[in-house]
Amino acid sequence: MRLSGRVAAITGGALGIGRATALLFAEEGATLALGDIAAEAARTVAQEIVPGGGTAIAVGLDVGDAAQVQAFVDRVVGDFGRLDVMFANAGIAHSAPFLEHPEAQWHRVLRVNLTGVFLCCQAAARQMVRQGGGRIITTASINAFRGVENLVGYNAAKAGVIELTRTMAVELAP
């Protein structure tokens, strides 16, 4: 059990990569906090973990809202005493040709996929510095390295996540 005694927070933990990671982390012994805008779906994943002997909570979370992100991290630390792993995974996409891509959808995708990652990682890193360490994982995409039509906001946000992650690594390494 490689994660026994570790507390992990996963954003976007209700579906897809987040759900699969939550189930795997639980198998490896982690205590989990699943943050997702789809709170009911996150609760369903948490309920899948508990019968196997795991510990998991689900929290409704809009990763683009700094106050909600801080409240999520505070809840994790309040409930479990620490935060060892932050997996900033929440993401969305909007498909439209570049020339027709609505500005509102551009902002929505960047708010979740880039600003949300920034806010989650910053709040987690502040806690991890206070407690003497931790691990931060982000989700990017191959789309960050090559243009994929009709996904301009998603592609740009995922490219930003890569550079954000590099910058965090350089600044937080000490």
Side-chain angles (χ1 to χ4, degrees), residues 94-103 105 148-153:
H94 179 80
S95 181
F98 173 74
L99 293 176
E100 300 165 18
H101 199 289
E103 180 184 358
Q105 291 303 322
V148 175
E149 65 185 352
N150 298 326
L151 291 171
V152 65

Side-chain angles (χ1 to χ4, degrees), residues 4-62:
S4 183
R6 304 287 185 202
V7 176
I10 300 174
T11 67
L15 301 168
I17 292 169
R19 178 183 179 277
T21 302
L23 297 174
L24 179 62
F25 278 20
E27 285 179 22
E28 291 295 334
T31 296
L32 294 163
L34 309 176
D36 203 298
I37 197 130
E40 192 56 42
R43 277 189 277 285
T44 299
V45 176
Q47 290 169 354
E48 289 178 57
I49 290 167
V50 173
T55 301
I57 61 169
V59 177
L61 173 63
D62 174 355

